[in-house]
Structures are given as structure tokens and as C-alpha cells.
Amino acid sequence: MTLFFPSHGRTGTAVTSTVMVMTTSASVPTEGAISPGGRVTDRLVDANERYAAAFTDPGMDARPVLHVAVVACMDARLDLHAALGLELGDCHTIRNAGGVVTDDVIRSLTISQRKLGTRSIVLIHHTGCGLEAITEEFRTELEMEVGQRPAWAVEAFRDVDQDVRQSMQRVRTSPFLVHTDDVRGFVFDVKTGLLREIDPA
């Protein structure tokens, strides 16, 4: 499935349509990757210094230009801005394990809508998710290891389509969200880069 999002010029008011380009980090060369014994944080700090040296304040505020919030999995293979044709300042991005709509996601979406002007919500799960390979027993394993049971649920699932539907339902029934008429859910295929829309029914 191919989607189109409006794109905006930074110096004018013209609006055009941009086709989403679907990519994952798997297509990016691994040259310069950190070895298991490397200090990855040092590499990130060095990269930030280079970034800051050329940085120019874009003059934006915290309100997303496209008035959209994207909830997605934290999986390193998902490059959301590239995959959705988004630019800096276009959207709010909320990520967690599985892209599941939890209480904390509702918290972020509520602030996003009520204080920062977003109206649309896009939910993105993906194929080959790590949450399909574990169960709620993970909490028991943690309790046995550290002596304390986590208060949070793992939110593991076996049917990615059904989990997207559940996330859509959690958004649509939240009493804290004021805009629930434009909520759409998708599964991102990590092999092809394509989004497949999930029917909420």
C-alpha cells in the first residue's frame, strides 16, 4: 500500500503531495558500526558535536506541522521519518516495545492533542516483532531474578493484526483523547518496506 502525506515548504505556504519512501536500517551500510566492545555512547556524542557544528535553529515550536502523532515499535529496523516521508517538525513520534498503546502512550497522546494541537493518530506495528517471541511469563522470570515483579505488562502478542486492532480500540475509547475520528493502524513489512492497513472491524 502506498500512502500520501502533504509536505510543506519551510519558507513558504505551498503544500504538495509526497509519496512515502519505505526503508529500514537494514538497507543502510554498516561501515563504521560499533564492535561489541566499543563505546557506542562516545560515538553518539562525537556525532552530535559534528551535527551541532553545522546546526541552524529551524525556528519551529513544539507543535507538529502536520498535526499528526505516530505511535510505533522501537525496533531499530524502522526508520519512521524516511518510511513516512516526514521532515523535522512534521509529527510527534511515540515509540515503545511493540508500538502498543499503553497508559504511557495515552499520556503522551493526550498531551500531544490537548496541548500541542495534533488531531490524527497513526499506529504502526511490524512483521517479525520481538513481542511475538516472548510471553507474559517474562515478568515471572524477572521476578525470580531480581525479587520484584514488574508493575507493567509485557503486552506480548501472537497476532500482529489483532494487536493493531486492540491498540486502535484503546485510542478510540480513551476518555482523555479529544480527537479519535482519524485513527488508522498499519503493519510495516520489514522485508519490503510497505505498510499494510488494518481494518479496525
Short mmCIF file of all heavy atoms in Angstrom, two decimals, residues 131-164:
data_model
loop_
_atom_site.label_atom_id
_atom_site.label_comp_id
_atom_site.label_asym_id
_atom_site.label_seq_id
_atom_site.Cartn_x
_atom_site.Cartn_y
_atom_site.Cartn_z
N LEU A 131 8.02 -8.94 20.29
CA LEU A 131 6.98 -9.27 21.24
C LEU A 131 6.20 -10.52 20.86
O LEU A 131 5.44 -11.05 21.67
CB LEU A 131 6.01 -8.09 21.42
CG LEU A 131 6.53 -6.92 22.23
CD1 LEU A 131 5.42 -5.93 22.52
CD2 LEU A 131 7.16 -7.37 23.54
N GLU A 132 6.37 -10.98 19.62
CA GLU A 132 5.74 -12.23 19.20
C GLU A 132 6.53 -13.44 19.70
O GLU A 132 6.05 -14.57 19.64
CB GLU A 132 5.60 -12.28 17.69
CG GLU A 132 4.69 -11.22 17.11
CD GLU A 132 4.63 -11.26 15.59
OE1 GLU A 132 3.77 -11.99 15.07
OE2 GLU A 132 5.45 -10.57 14.95
N ALA A 133 7.75 -13.22 20.17
CA ALA A 133 8.63 -14.32 20.57
C ALA A 133 8.71 -14.51 22.08
O ALA A 133 9.39 -15.41 22.56
CB ALA A 133 10.03 -14.08 20.01
N ILE A 134 8.02 -13.65 22.85
CA ILE A 134 8.03 -13.80 24.30
C ILE A 134 6.59 -13.86 24.80
O ILE A 134 5.64 -13.71 24.03
CB ILE A 134 8.79 -12.64 24.99
CG1 ILE A 134 8.12 -11.28 24.70
CG2 ILE A 134 10.23 -12.61 24.56
CD1 ILE A 134 8.78 -10.13 25.44
N THR A 135 6.42 -14.11 26.09
CA THR A 135 5.10 -14.17 26.70
C THR A 135 5.09 -13.34 27.97
O THR A 135 6.12 -12.79 28.39
CB THR A 135 4.71 -15.62 27.06
OG1 THR A 135 5.55 -16.07 28.14
CG2 THR A 135 4.89 -16.55 25.86
N GLU A 136 3.93 -13.29 28.61
CA GLU A 136 3.83 -12.57 29.88
C GLU A 136 4.66 -13.24 30.97
O GLU A 136 4.90 -12.64 32.02
CB GLU A 136 2.36 -12.49 30.30
CG GLU A 136 1.49 -11.62 29.37
CD GLU A 136 1.92 -10.16 29.30
OE1 GLU A 136 2.35 -9.62 30.34
OE2 GLU A 136 1.84 -9.57 28.21
N GLU A 137 5.12 -14.47 30.72
CA GLU A 137 5.98 -15.15 31.68
C GLU A 137 7.30 -14.41 31.89
O GLU A 137 8.02 -14.66 32.86
CB GLU A 137 6.26 -16.59 31.24
CG GLU A 137 5.09 -17.54 31.44
CD GLU A 137 4.69 -17.64 32.91
OE1 GLU A 137 5.59 -17.89 33.75
OE2 GLU A 137 3.51 -17.45 33.22
N PHE A 138 7.63 -13.52 30.97
CA PHE A 138 8.83 -12.71 31.12
C PHE A 138 8.82 -11.96 32.45
O PHE A 138 9.85 -11.78 33.10
CB PHE A 138 8.93 -11.73 29.95
CG PHE A 138 10.13 -10.83 29.97
CD1 PHE A 138 11.41 -11.35 29.99
CD2 PHE A 138 9.98 -9.45 29.95
CE1 PHE A 138 12.53 -10.51 30.01
CE2 PHE A 138 11.08 -8.61 29.97
CZ PHE A 138 12.36 -9.15 30.00
N ARG A 139 7.63 -11.53 32.89
CA ARG A 139 7.52 -10.84 34.18
C ARG A 139 7.87 -11.77 35.34
O ARG A 139 8.51 -11.36 36.31
CB ARG A 139 6.11 -10.29 34.35
CG ARG A 139 5.74 -9.25 33.30
CD ARG A 139 4.26 -8.91 33.37
NE ARG A 139 3.97 -8.12 34.56
CZ ARG A 139 2.86 -8.25 35.29
NH1 ARG A 139 1.97 -9.17 34.99
NH2 ARG A 139 2.65 -7.46 36.32
N THR A 140 7.46 -13.02 35.22
CA THR A 140 7.79 -14.00 36.26
C THR A 140 9.28 -14.27 36.30
O THR A 140 9.89 -14.37 37.37
CB THR A 140 7.02 -15.31 36.01
OG1 THR A 140 5.62 -15.04 36.00
CG2 THR A 140 7.34 -16.34 37.08
N GLU A 141 9.89 -14.36 35.12
CA GLU A 141 11.34 -14.56 35.05
C GLU A 141 12.08 -13.40 35.72
O GLU A 141 13.05 -13.60 36.45
CB GLU A 141 11.77 -14.69 33.59
CG GLU A 141 11.22 -15.92 32.88
CD GLU A 141 11.42 -15.85 31.37
OE1 GLU A 141 12.14 -14.94 30.90
OE2 GLU A 141 10.85 -16.70 30.66
N LEU A 142 11.60 -12.18 35.47
CA LEU A 142 12.23 -11.02 36.10
C LEU A 142 12.06 -11.05 37.62
O LEU A 142 12.99 -10.74 38.36
CB LEU A 142 11.61 -9.73 35.54
CG LEU A 142 11.99 -9.36 34.11
CD1 LEU A 142 11.18 -8.17 33.65
CD2 LEU A 142 13.48 -9.05 33.99
N GLU A 143 10.87 -11.46 38.06
CA GLU A 143 10.63 -11.53 39.49
C GLU A 143 11.55 -12.54 40.16
O GLU A 143 12.10 -12.28 41.24
CB GLU A 143 9.17 -11.91 39.74
CG GLU A 143 8.80 -11.95 41.21
CD GLU A 143 7.34 -12.30 41.42
OE1 GLU A 143 6.70 -12.83 40.49
OE2 GLU A 143 6.83 -12.04 42.54
N MET A 144 11.75 -13.67 39.51
CA MET A 144 12.64 -14.68 40.06
C MET A 144 14.09 -14.19 40.10
O MET A 144 14.85 -14.52 41.00
CB MET A 144 12.53 -15.97 39.25
CG MET A 144 11.17 -16.66 39.36
SD MET A 144 11.04 -18.11 38.30
CE MET A 144 12.29 -19.16 39.02
N GLU A 145 14.46 -13.38 39.11
CA GLU A 145 15.85 -12.90 39.02
C GLU A 145 16.14 -11.77 40.00
O GLU A 145 17.19 -11.77 40.66
CB GLU A 145 16.15 -12.43 37.60
CG GLU A 145 17.56 -11.90 37.42
CD GLU A 145 17.82 -11.39 36.01
OE1 GLU A 145 17.16 -11.87 35.06
OE2 GLU A 145 18.68 -10.50 35.87
N VAL A 146 15.24 -10.80 40.08
CA VAL A 146 15.55 -9.59 40.85
C VAL A 146 14.75 -9.48 42.15
O VAL A 146 14.99 -8.58 42.95
CB VAL A 146 15.34 -8.32 40.01
CG1 VAL A 146 16.14 -8.38 38.73
CG2 VAL A 146 13.86 -8.08 39.71
N GLY A 147 13.77 -10.37 42.35
CA GLY A 147 13.00 -10.35 43.59
C GLY A 147 11.86 -9.36 43.61
O GLY A 147 11.27 -9.11 44.67
N GLN A 148 11.52 -8.81 42.46
CA GLN A 148 10.41 -7.86 42.39
C GLN A 148 9.69 -8.05 41.07
O GLN A 148 10.32 -8.12 40.01
CB GLN A 148 10.93 -6.43 42.51
CG GLN A 148 9.84 -5.37 42.48
CD GLN A 148 10.40 -3.98 42.67
OE1 GLN A 148 11.51 -3.80 43.19
NE2 GLN A 148 9.64 -2.98 42.27
N ARG A 149 8.36 -8.12 41.12
CA ARG A 149 7.58 -8.32 39.90
C ARG A 149 7.27 -6.96 39.26
O ARG A 149 6.83 -6.04 39.95
CB ARG A 149 6.27 -9.04 40.22
CG ARG A 149 5.49 -9.50 38.99
CD ARG A 149 4.30 -10.36 39.39
NE ARG A 149 3.57 -10.87 38.25
CZ ARG A 149 3.91 -11.95 37.56
NH1 ARG A 149 5.00 -12.64 37.91
NH2 ARG A 149 3.20 -12.35 36.53
N PRO A 150 7.53 -6.82 37.97
CA PRO A 150 7.23 -5.54 37.31
C PRO A 150 5.75 -5.20 37.39
O PRO A 150 4.89 -6.08 37.31
CB PRO A 150 7.64 -5.79 35.85
CG PRO A 150 8.52 -6.98 35.88
CD PRO A 150 8.08 -7.81 37.03
N ALA A 151 5.45 -3.92 37.56
CA ALA A 151 4.06 -3.47 37.58
C ALA A 151 3.48 -3.41 36.17
O ALA A 151 2.27 -3.46 35.99
CB ALA A 151 3.98 -2.10 38.25
N TRP A 152 4.36 -3.32 35.17
CA TRP A 152 3.89 -3.19 33.80
C TRP A 152 3.66 -4.55 33.14
O TRP A 152 4.24 -5.55 33.54
CB TRP A 152 4.88 -2.39 32.95
CG TRP A 152 6.33 -2.65 33.25
CD1 TRP A 152 7.15 -1.91 34.05
CD2 TRP A 152 7.15 -3.73 32.75
NE1 TRP A 152 8.42 -2.46 34.07
CE2 TRP A 152 8.45 -3.57 33.29
CE3 TRP A 152 6.91 -4.81 31.90
CZ2 TRP A 152 9.49 -4.44 33.01
CZ3 TRP A 152 7.95 -5.69 31.62
CH2 TRP A 152 9.22 -5.50 32.17
N ALA A 153 2.76 -4.55 32.15
CA ALA A 153 2.51 -5.76 31.37
C ALA A 153 3.50 -5.83 30.22
O ALA A 153 3.94 -4.80 29.70
CB ALA A 153 1.08 -5.76 30.82
N VAL A 154 3.86 -7.03 29.81
CA VAL A 154 4.76 -7.20 28.67
C VAL A 154 4.07 -6.77 27.38
O VAL A 154 4.70 -6.22 26.49
CB VAL A 154 5.23 -8.67 28.57
CG1 VAL A 154 6.09 -8.89 27.33
CG2 VAL A 154 5.99 -9.07 29.83
N GLU A 155 2.77 -7.00 27.28
CA GLU A 155 1.98 -6.71 26.08
C GLU A 155 2.42 -7.58 24.90
O GLU A 155 2.39 -7.15 23.74
CB GLU A 155 2.05 -5.23 25.71
CG GLU A 155 1.49 -4.29 26.76
CD GLU A 155 -0.03 -4.19 26.75
OE1 GLU A 155 -0.67 -4.88 25.93
OE2 GLU A 155 -0.57 -3.45 27.58
N ALA A 156 2.84 -8.82 25.20
CA ALA A 156 3.20 -9.75 24.13
C ALA A 156 1.96 -10.11 23.31
O ALA A 156 0.83 -10.00 23.80
CB ALA A 156 3.81 -11.02 24.74
N PHE A 157 2.18 -10.51 22.07
CA PHE A 157 1.06 -10.90 21.22
C PHE A 157 1.50 -11.94 20.21
O PHE A 157 2.69 -12.12 19.97
CB PHE A 157 0.47 -9.68 20.49
CG PHE A 157 1.47 -8.90 19.68
CD1 PHE A 157 1.79 -9.25 18.38
CD2 PHE A 157 2.11 -7.78 20.22
CE1 PHE A 157 2.71 -8.53 17.63
CE2 PHE A 157 3.02 -7.05 19.49
CZ PHE A 157 3.33 -7.42 18.19
N ARG A 158 0.54 -12.64 19.64
CA ARG A 158 0.81 -13.64 18.60
C ARG A 158 0.27 -13.22 17.24
O ARG A 158 0.76 -13.64 16.21
CB ARG A 158 0.19 -14.99 18.99
CG ARG A 158 0.86 -15.63 20.22
CD ARG A 158 2.28 -16.10 19.88
NE ARG A 158 2.99 -16.60 21.06
CZ ARG A 158 3.77 -15.85 21.83
NH1 ARG A 158 3.93 -14.57 21.55
NH2 ARG A 158 4.39 -16.37 22.87
N ASP A 159 -0.78 -12.39 17.24
CA ASP A 159 -1.44 -11.96 16.00
C ASP A 159 -1.24 -10.46 15.87
O ASP A 159 -1.89 -9.67 16.55
CB ASP A 159 -2.92 -12.32 16.07
CG ASP A 159 -3.68 -12.00 14.79
OD1 ASP A 159 -3.26 -11.09 14.05
OD2 ASP A 159 -4.71 -12.66 14.53
N VAL A 160 -0.33 -10.06 14.99
CA VAL A 160 0.01 -8.64 14.88
C VAL A 160 -1.19 -7.81 14.42
O VAL A 160 -1.40 -6.69 14.90
CB VAL A 160 1.23 -8.43 13.95
CG1 VAL A 160 0.92 -8.83 12.52
CG2 VAL A 160 1.74 -7.00 14.03
N ASP A 161 -2.00 -8.36 13.50
CA ASP A 161 -3.17 -7.61 13.04
C ASP A 161 -4.13 -7.33 14.19
O ASP A 161 -4.64 -6.22 14.34
CB ASP A 161 -3.90 -8.38 11.94
CG ASP A 161 -3.12 -8.44 10.64
OD1 ASP A 161 -1.89 -8.27 10.66
OD2 ASP A 161 -3.74 -8.66 9.58
N GLN A 162 -4.38 -8.36 14.99
CA GLN A 162 -5.31 -8.19 16.10
C GLN A 162 -4.75 -7.22 17.14
O GLN A 162 -5.51 -6.46 17.76
CB GLN A 162 -5.61 -9.54 16.76
CG GLN A 162 -6.65 -9.48 17.86
CD GLN A 162 -7.97 -8.88 17.40
OE1 GLN A 162 -8.39 -9.07 16.26
NE2 GLN A 162 -8.63 -8.14 18.27
N ASP A 163 -3.44 -7.20 17.32
CA ASP A 163 -2.86 -6.28 18.28
C ASP A 163 -2.98 -4.84 17.81
O ASP A 163 -3.18 -3.93 18.61
CB ASP A 163 -1.39 -6.63 18.56
CG ASP A 163 -0.95 -6.12 19.92
OD1 ASP A 163 -1.49 -6.60 20.93
OD2 ASP A 163 -0.10 -5.21 19.97
N VAL A 164 -2.88 -4.63 16.50
CA VAL A 164 -3.12 -3.28 15.95
C VAL A 164 -4.57 -2.88 16.22
O VAL A 164 -4.85 -1.74 16.64
CB VAL A 164 -2.81 -3.24 14.44
CG1 VAL A 164 -3.25 -1.89 13.86
CG2 VAL A 164 -1.33 -3.45 14.19
#
